[in-house]
Amino acid sequence: MLILVIFVLILPFIYIKKPVRAKNLAAYDVIIVLGHLPNADGEMSTIMKSRILKAIELYHLNQRPMILCGGSHFDRPEEAKLMAKEALKNGVLREDILLDDKSMNTYANIKNAKRIMDEHSFKKAIIVSSSWHAYLSARFAFEFAIDNAIVNANRPEDFTFFQVILAYLYMYIHTYKNLFYRLSHPHQR
């Protein structure tokens, strides 16, 4: 029984991929920003805002196009379009913004971003997400053979330590869900 418990606890760590951290921004030719569900009022969530602000910061350090990911959930605005509005407001050129406004989850974000990368001949990507989301993002990037590095967005100011712990716990459970889905649908990509 103890062996089963230990296996269940470490299984996600076998499945997930350790993210590579960006050292030389100039080596990457595109920034992928993973979305997050907007607030019920249609405004950006603090998680989404922290991700796009980190991407804007990277953009101004080393001007690279952005792929903004995220579709519409529960009759809320498309995540990608909300982030594009914020990027334009903060000096990102319209021609440097590419949208994936169809994806509904991290797997689809990465899958669609890879398609956009191939269409534009991008080879290496910086993926901007939250720290608790980095391992799963790196796993999916690995599955789609995206040469990448992960940059963590700043923790949202309104997030307490308890909320961060809950976010990591949620991603741990979400990783199980993704693992079992991928094992039960091995040829679906």
Side-chain angles (χ1 to χ4, degrees):
M1 181 64 165
L2 179 62
I3 293 172
L4 179 62
V5 170
I6 291 171
F7 179 73
V8 165
L9 290 175
I10 65 168
L11 187 60
F13 296 102
I14 296 168
Y15 175 69
I16 59 179
K17 177 129 174 58
K18 186 172 185 198
V20 173
R21 303 297 173 186
K23 292 183 177 85
N24 176 11
L25 295 178
Y28 300 90
D29 47 6
V30 69
I31 302 167
I32 298 171
V33 188
L34 301 179
H36 188 271
L37 184 67
N39 294 332
D41 64 3
E43 295 297 315
M44 277 198 287
S45 66
T46 56
I47 294 172
M48 184 192 305
K49 186 146 188 160
S50 70
R51 291 177 184 180
I52 190 60
L53 290 178
K54 177 55 78 174
I56 291 165
E57 176 187 325
L58 294 172
Y59 175 86
H60 288 302
L61 287 173
N62 191 33
Q63 197 166 346
R64 296 289 186 257
M66 291 183 183
I67 300 173
L68 306 177
C69 298
S72 178
H73 301 269
F74 313 113
D75 298 324
R76 296 181 189 178
E78 284 103 353
E79 299 164 22
K81 290 180 181 171
L82 285 173
M83 291 189 291
K85 194 164 113 179
E86 186 70 22
L88 290 167
K89 187 171 86 177
N90 283 280
V92 175
L93 301 175
R94 184 173 302 280
E95 59 266 20
D96 286 337
I97 297 174
L98 304 165
L99 299 181
D100 157 33
D101 57 0
K102 303 288 185 253
S103 57
M104 303 298 280
N105 55 46
T106 306
Y107 185 81
N109 286 164
I110 298 294
K111 179 180 178 180
N112 293 342
K114 173 62 172 163
R115 178 186 47 76
I116 294 168
M117 284 181 68
D118 290 345
E119 288 170 3
H120 293 273
S121 300
F122 297 135
K123 302 295 180 210
K124 295 179 79 168
I126 291 175
I127 300 175
V128 177
S129 193
S130 305
S131 59
W132 55 83
H133 196 237
Y135 284 85
L136 190 62
S137 305
R139 172 63 194 179
F140 292 149
F142 172 76
E143 281 190 35
F144 287 101
I146 297 175
D147 188 354
N148 75 91
I150 302 287
V151 173
N152 293 334
N154 298 329
R155 186 182 81 189
E157 292 177 12
D158 63 342
F159 254 48
T160 65
F161 177 74
F162 181 70
Q163 287 172 302
V164 172
I165 297 300
L166 285 177
Y168 274 99
L169 183 60
Y170 171 80
M171 286 312 301
Y172 184 82
I173 292 166
H174 189 65
T175 300
Y176 264 109
K177 186 177 107 182
N178 279 288
L179 170 63
F180 290 120
Y181 179 81
R182 300 297 297 136
L183 291 175
S184 65
H185 300 84
H187 301 293
Q188 203 171 40
R189 203 168 151 184

